[in-house]
Amino acid sequence: MHLVFSTCPQDQATAIAERLVEARLAACCNCLPAISSVYWWEGKLTREEEALLIFKVPAARLEVMMARLAELHPYEVPEILAVPVSAGFAPYLAWVAAEATGS
């Protein structure tokens, strides 16, 4: 399993999360609605109020999920980071695997 992190505009977070979970590319997504991001973009220091999405994705669905997230995302260069989960509560990991594959 992987945790996939992505920031996005607050007004689009729920729609992006719903599309990926409905497509069974992720078992679930946590939407943290109010984070402040500071970063360099096109040579300028930028500050944005964004949402943080945290998806739970089985390893077998990771590549297709990230590709679909990139398609749905409004940013030219979206943050899409996948972090492997090395351990977890076995029933939860099984649930993620079942829900994100439709089995």
Side-chain angles (χ1 to χ4, degrees):
M1 180 178 131
H2 286 76
L3 299 178
V4 176
F5 295 87
S6 185
T7 54
C8 67
Q10 292 176 357
D11 64 345
Q12 296 183 38
T14 300
I16 292 171
E18 287 177 352
R19 300 268 310 265
L20 291 165
V21 173
E22 285 173 355
R24 296 204 178 259
L25 295 174
C28 66
C29 180
N30 301 110
C31 302
L32 286 73
I35 64 167
S36 180
S37 298
V38 179
Y39 55 92
W40 285 101
W41 181 248
E42 297 181 341
K44 292 189 261 181
L45 190 61
T46 304
R47 182 171 186 226
E48 295 286 341
E49 298 303 314
E50 298 178 297
L52 174 63
L53 303 176
I54 306 171
F55 295 93
K56 284 67 169 205
V57 183
R61 303 293 277 165
L62 183 61
E63 292 302 321
V64 69
M65 181 276 184
M66 291 192 308
R68 184 67 177 129
L69 176 55
E71 290 171 3
L72 294 171
H73 208 287
Y75 293 170
E76 182 180 335
V77 181
E79 171 190 12
I80 302 174
L81 301 172
V83 179
V85 174
S86 62
F89 184 55
Y92 182 79
L93 297 176
W95 174 81
V96 168
E99 292 305 319
T101 60
S103 56

